[in-house]
Amino acid sequence: MDEIFKQQVYEVTRLIPKGRVSTYGAIAKAVGYPNHSRHVGKAMGGCPKDVPAHRVISGSGTLSVPEFRPKLEAEGIVIENFRIKNFKKLFWDPLEEL
């Protein structure tokens, strides 16, 4: 995987505000690769500690990594059956927010 792509993914992810979530697909679009959401997921697998990977979820509003639940709940996000409650309200779209 291209190092520049990873760094771009990390930079966008660092901008997601506390208490909000984004998706792998939205981040892929923001860095110019709209069909590479899986690559975003792979990049997140080995991301630096300062990247809030827990704020990146699937496009359906479901947690992809159940271990991130405590971090999200600590930010005030309510999760029911591994789904983000009020997902549309909490969704942070980098193309609209930046």
Side-chain angles (χ1 to χ4, degrees), residues 7-94:
Q7 292 307 317
Q8 290 174 328
V9 166
Y10 300 155
E11 287 303 312
V12 172
T13 304
R14 285 184 184 105
L15 298 172
I16 303 170
K18 206 174 205 178
R20 303 278 302 275
V21 293
S22 194
T23 64
Y24 298 104
I27 292 172
K29 280 182 193 173
V31 299
Y33 294 90
N35 299 316
H36 288 74
S37 56
R38 287 182 188 223
H39 293 247
V40 171
K42 275 189 174 178
M44 299 307 259
C47 70
K49 296 251 186 253
D50 68 326
V51 175
H54 63 283
R55 296 182 190 147
V56 184
I57 61 172
S58 73
S60 64
T62 319
L63 290 185
S64 301
V65 183
E67 292 81 15
F68 289 160
R69 183 179 187 142
K71 287 184 177 184
L72 290 168
E73 289 177 333
E75 294 183 10
I77 295 174
V78 178
I79 301 164
E80 293 177 352
N81 295 326
F82 296 100
R83 293 183 64 88
I84 304 294
K85 191 169 182 177
N86 297 321
F87 169 61
K88 289 186 179 181
K89 183 179 171 194
L90 298 174
F91 176 64
W92 183 82
D93 185 347

